[in-house]
């Protein structure tokens, strides 16, 4: 009966005129990496053309400076702290496909709303919102349990370990400590053994064996997870089925592009929602031979230009099927570029233009200001620039509105419908205040005064750069949100973004007559915001974010997880 009802709803909804929706999200792309945002040395003609044919947002803000919480906010239209996808620890993203944390099943994604309105929905590419809760096949966090009819891609994210064991990326500092402790234990056992055999130490064999066994168990306890990241996390899924474990990185670009184009061709009669979540431009920057060495900015530039080419091929598929005028198209990045991504003297992360900071920094603009480009010919104006504050969370109510969907009424939705702003029916954003979190810690607040050009930003906490004045946290690889690695400001650092968007010179009571009034109004807004927060289970807690063998997806008999079901069926479309 339920299946029949859903089928009837889809048939009815599909008969009405609703646009197809194409959402494209890059991974770790810096705002300054794109031509239409000021870069004149990287070639991004397809993204630039998209902006020329539509609307470009210059103050488009991610709800978090890291992928897991930012994407959770994007999917739900809610700050990550509301869904439990913020973190009070240094582990601010999901670390394992075999972990128990993830986007809670009771959260309603925009995919679910559109699915209920008759849309065929698909996610192709990166997920990074969890997989299982209690068993390796309950799929409680899986895309198909969050409103997507079809999923093809990585349940996790690209990391260096997917390519090799050099330049480890996943919890690198912790791995280094574990290696050190293991080496100390091994050296101690060896010393005791030599001492025993030579008579230098009066130690019992039982004690040596016990110490060696404890050391071995310690080594196994951490190496069983970190030593096999390539097999545990670098997996390719088709719906619930594992296609490749580990995934073949050299085929990833072609596979994802082929799947996106195929979905458009299969569903050309619509309406459809296609969310293309690129693996580009996250390290290790997997780039096909066609683009290697072609840019002026090394491997990172090659990867950006390849991603732009993929955008072009997907838009070509839309054009080929005659869907351009009936497709609402959007391009963005999940957060700012990763400044600390380096190998020796080679930069492997993005450029955030004039904006201070980058990935991992919850307050500084470079970590949260991202591209925001929309196109819908005949509905949205062409070659238009909007400077108003907007959020990735705004996509949720916007696409729900386009699909005539009903948003949940039992929870706070932080996003706002962008259509009136995009169409020029209103001149100002509905966002008066925006709250910039680093994990669970509020680092900054933006105040856009109603019917005014004034745009203030108060920083309560900022990261301590390493080395001092470097502009990023190069020693640790990523800036922290709390503890000894941050500076607390009382009164807050206050910037006038309308005249100082790069956040170079904070104003003070001596230089800004409105200083006390502005700080007072922002602090009142913070209090009002916190009154809307309710306690929820923490999805990124220590327990949820540890590897659990019984939750590990495996296409063989655990721990022998290896398969290649894509095989020779792969067709090269490059």
């Amino acid at each position: 009966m339920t299946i029949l009802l859903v089928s009837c709803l889809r048939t009815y909804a599909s008969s009405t005129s609703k646009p197809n929706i194409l959402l494209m999200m890059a991974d770790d792309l810096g705002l300054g990496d794109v031509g239409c945002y000021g870069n004149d040395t990287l070639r991004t003609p397809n993204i630039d053309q998209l902006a020329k044919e539509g609307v470009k947002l210059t103050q488009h803000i991610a709800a978090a400076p890291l992928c897991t919480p930012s994407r959770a906010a994007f999917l739900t239209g809610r700050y990550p702290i509301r869904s439990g996808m913020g973190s009070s620890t240094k582990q601010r993203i999901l670390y394992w496909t075999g972990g128990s944390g993830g986007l809670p099943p009771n959260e309603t994604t925009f995919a679910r709303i559109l699915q209920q309105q008759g849309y065929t929905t698909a996610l192709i590419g990166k997920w990074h919102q969890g997989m299982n809760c209690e068993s390796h096949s309950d799929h409680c966090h899986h895309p198909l349990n969050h409103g997507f009819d079809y999923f093809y891609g990585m349940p996790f994210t690209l990391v260096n370990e997917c390519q090799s064991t050099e330049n480890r990326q996943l919890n690198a500092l912790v791995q280094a400590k574990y290696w050190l402790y293991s080496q100390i234990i091994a050296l101690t056992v060896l010393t005791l053994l030599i001492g025993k055999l030579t008579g230098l130490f009066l130690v019992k064999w039982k004690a040596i064996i016990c110490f060696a066994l404890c050391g071995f168990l310690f080594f196994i306890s951490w190496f069983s997870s970190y030593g096999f990241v390539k097999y545990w996390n670098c997996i390719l899924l088709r719906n619930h089925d594992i296609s490749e474990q580990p995934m073949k990185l050299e085929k990833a670009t072609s596979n994802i592009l082929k799947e996106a184009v195929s979905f458009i061709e299969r569903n050309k009669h619509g309406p459809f929602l296609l969310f293309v979540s690129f693996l580009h431009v996250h390290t290790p920057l997997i780039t096909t031979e066609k683009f290697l060495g072609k840019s002026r900015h090394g491997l990172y530039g090659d990867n950006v230009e390849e991603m732009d080419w993929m955008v072009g091929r997907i838009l070509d598929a839309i054009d080929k099927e005659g869907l351009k005028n009936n497709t609402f198209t959007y391009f963005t990045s999940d957060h700012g570029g990763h400044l600390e991504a380096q190998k020796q003297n080679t930069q492997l992360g993005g450029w955030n233009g004039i904006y201070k900071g980058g990935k991992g920094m919850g307050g500084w603009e470079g970590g949260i200001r991202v591209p925001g480009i929309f196109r819908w010919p005949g509905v949205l104006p062409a070659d238009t620039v909007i400077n108003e504050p907007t959020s990735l969370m705004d996509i949720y109510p916007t696409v729900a509105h386009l699909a005539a969907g009903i948003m949940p009424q039992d929870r706070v939705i932080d996003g706002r419908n962008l259509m009136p702003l995009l169409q020029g029916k209103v001149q100002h954003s509905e966002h008066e205040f925006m709250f910039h979190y680093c994990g669970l810690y509020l680092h900054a607040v933006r105040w856009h005064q109603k019917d005014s050009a004034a745009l203030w930003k108060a920083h309560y906490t900022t990261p301590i750069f390493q080395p001092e004045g470097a502009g990023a946290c190069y020693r640790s690889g990523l800036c922290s949100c709390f503890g000894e690695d941050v500076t607390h400001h009382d009164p807050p650092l206050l910037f006038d973004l309308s005249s100082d968007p790069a956040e170079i010179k904070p104003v003070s009571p001596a230089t800004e007559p409105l200083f006390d009034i502005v700080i007072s109004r922002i602090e009142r807004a913070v209090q009002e915001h916190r009154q809307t927060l309710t306690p929820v289970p923490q999805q990124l807690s220590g327990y949820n974010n540890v590897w659990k063998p019984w939750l590990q997806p495996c296409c063989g008999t655990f721990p022998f997880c290896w398969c290649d079901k894509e095989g020779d069926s792969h067709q090269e479309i490059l």
Side-chain angles (χ1 to χ4, degrees):
M1 184 67 180
T2 302
I3 296 176
L4 180 61
L5 179 61
V6 171
S7 178
C8 290
L9 284 172
R10 284 195 168 186
T11 301
Y12 171 75
S14 298
S15 66
T16 63
S17 180
K18 297 178 181 177
N20 301 308
I21 296 173
L22 170 61
L23 309 176
M24 295 179 285
M25 177 178 282
D27 195 1
D28 287 18
L29 180 71
L31 182 69
D33 292 328
V34 185
C36 60
Y37 283 94
N39 193 310
D40 58 4
T41 58
L42 276 176
R43 294 167 294 188
T44 55
N46 295 294
I47 299 173
D48 298 345
Q49 182 63 27
L50 192 66
K52 189 173 183 180
E53 295 177 359
V55 179
K56 180 179 72 172
L57 304 179
T58 63
Q59 199 178 159
H60 201 41
I61 308 299
L66 287 174
C67 46
T68 296
S70 175
R71 290 163 182 265
F74 174 72
L75 289 162
T76 64
R78 290 152 50 82
Y79 286 109
I81 193 172
R82 298 193 190 279
S83 60
M85 296 296 277
S87 173
S88 60
T89 73
K90 291 191 175 182
Q91 295 186 342
R92 291 184 278 156
I93 63 169
L94 291 171
Y95 272 67
W96 302 102
T97 303
S100 55
L103 190 63
N106 63 351
E107 287 292 328
T108 302
T109 67
F110 57 68
R112 176 71 69 199
I113 293 176
L114 268 64
Q115 188 183 57
Q116 294 169 348
Q117 291 302 113
Y119 277 72
T120 302
T121 59
L123 167 62
I124 295 174
K126 170 178 173 174
W127 174 236
H128 210 183
Q129 297 294 302
M131 280 284 285
N132 302 305
C133 290
E134 298 178 355
S135 74
H136 72 279
S137 59
D138 64 37
H139 302 126
C140 69
H141 303 305
H142 192 282
L144 268 59
N145 199 41
H146 278 294
F148 291 99
D149 295 311
Y150 182 72
F151 172 59
Y152 180 88
M154 287 190 76
F156 192 62
T157 181
L158 280 179
V159 288
N160 289 338
E161 288 88 339
C162 292
Q163 187 175 52
S164 69
T165 56
E166 296 180 11
N167 196 25
R168 294 177 182 273
Q169 185 173 4
L170 192 67
N171 228 357
L173 293 178
V174 172
Q175 287 195 65
K177 287 181 181 179
Y178 288 163
W179 271 114
L180 178 62
Y181 297 157
S182 298
Q183 291 169 349
I184 291 174
I185 292 172
L187 184 61
T188 302
V189 171
L190 182 61
T191 301
L192 291 174
L193 185 61
I194 293 174
K196 175 69 174 179
L197 294 175
T198 59
L200 294 176
F201 301 140
L202 296 176
V203 59
K204 296 182 179 180
W205 282 109
K206 186 176 181 180
I208 296 176
I209 293 173
C210 183
F211 191 77
L213 182 59
C214 289
F216 177 74
L217 291 175
F218 169 75
F219 176 76
I220 291 298
S221 70
W222 72 267
F223 192 77
S224 60
S225 55
Y226 286 108
F228 298 91
V229 171
K230 184 175 182 178
Y231 289 87
W232 302 153
N233 283 347
C234 306
I235 303 172
L236 184 67
L237 293 185
R238 186 186 300 277
N239 294 326
H240 292 139
D241 299 326
I242 300 175
S243 293
E244 293 177 351
Q245 188 174 16
M247 66 183 294
K248 290 180 167 51
L249 299 181
E250 67 275 9
K251 299 195 308 182
T253 297
S254 182
N255 283 345
I256 287 174
L257 186 55
K258 178 181 68 173
E259 289 290 331
V261 171
S262 177
F263 178 84
I264 293 169
E265 293 172 346
R266 294 196 311 270
N267 296 280
K268 59 186 176 183
H269 299 298
F272 65 75
L273 162 69
L274 174 57
F275 177 21
V276 181
S277 179
F278 293 108
L279 303 182
H280 295 61
V281 288
H282 198 290
T283 51
L285 302 174
I286 303 304
T287 308
T288 60
E289 186 176 350
K290 178 179 178 180
F291 287 89
L292 283 175
K294 299 300 174 63
S295 79
R296 294 166 59 182
H297 292 280
L299 184 58
Y300 181 81
D302 298 343
N303 206 241
V304 171
E305 293 187 358
E306 180 174 63
M307 181 199 64
D308 177 81
W309 172 80
M310 294 176 72
V311 169
R313 292 298 298 269
I314 294 169
L315 295 178
D316 286 346
I318 292 289
D319 291 349
K320 179 183 176 183
E321 300 300 335
L323 302 175
K324 180 176 180 178
N325 293 337
N326 192 39
T327 300
F328 178 84
T329 302
Y330 169 69
F331 176 84
T332 191
S333 177
D334 53 357
H335 49 70
H338 191 184
L339 302 180
E340 296 92 345
Q342 297 179 328
K343 186 175 183 180
Q344 297 171 347
N345 294 324
T346 303
Q347 180 66 26
L348 300 177
W351 181 53
N352 299 312
I354 66 171
Y355 303 105
K356 182 180 293 185
K359 176 180 179 177
M361 304 182 208
W364 295 122
E365 288 291 283
I368 54 178
R369 193 180 286 223
V370 296
I373 301 172
F374 296 83
R375 185 189 73 177
W376 188 2
V379 179
L380 301 183
D383 203 14
T384 300
V385 177
I386 295 176
N387 299 315
E388 292 288 297
T390 58
S391 170
L392 265 67
M393 296 184 291
D394 295 338
I395 301 306
Y396 185 94
T398 301
V399 299
H401 166 77
L402 294 175
I406 300 175
M407 294 190 297
Q409 302 300 305
D410 61 345
R411 63 199 67 184
V412 176
I413 301 297
D414 298 296
R416 299 291 182 265
N417 179 14
L418 287 176
M419 286 306 293
L421 184 65
L422 295 175
Q423 291 181 289
K425 294 179 179 180
V426 300
Q427 299 303 310
H428 295 291
S429 165
E430 289 188 41
H431 290 286
E432 183 176 7
F433 293 95
M434 299 177 76
F435 304 93
H436 307 305
Y437 282 91
C438 188
L440 293 181
Y441 304 92
L442 184 64
H443 274 206
V445 179
R446 180 186 313 253
W447 179 26
H448 182 230
Q449 289 182 253
K450 290 183 178 180
D451 301 321
S452 168
L455 183 61
W456 304 99
K457 188 171 171 197
H459 287 261
Y460 292 93
T461 306
T462 55
I464 298 174
F465 293 143
Q466 316 150 2
E468 184 178 352
C473 302
Y474 292 103
R475 289 174 187 161
S476 59
L478 202 67
C479 288
S480 183
C481 298
F482 60 91
E484 298 178 351
D485 299 319
V486 301
T487 300
H488 299 283
H489 304 281
D490 187 14
L493 292 179
L494 183 64
F495 294 91
D496 180 357
L497 293 185
S498 60
S499 60
D500 182 20
E503 299 173 292
I504 296 173
K505 188 176 181 180
V507 299
S508 67
T511 61
E512 176 52 65
L514 297 176
F515 184 92
D516 291 334
I517 295 175
V518 171
I519 293 299
S520 176
R521 181 64 187 95
I522 289 177
E523 289 181 348
R524 190 163 76 250
V526 170
Q527 293 173 3
E528 293 170 355
H529 166 69
R530 284 176 171 160
Q531 289 175 359
T532 70
L533 303 177
T534 55
V536 291
Q538 297 304 300
Q539 298 298 321
L540 302 180
S541 66
Y543 174 77
N544 281 332
N545 219 359
V546 70
W547 181 65
K548 302 174 179 66
W550 61 92
L551 297 184
Q552 178 61 49
C554 181
C555 61
T557 301
F558 186 85
F560 304 104
C561 304
W562 181 92
C563 64
D564 178 11
K565 297 179 182 177
E566 296 287 306
D568 296 330
S569 63
H570 165 73
Q571 296 178 357
E572 187 68 42
I573 65 172
L574 295 178

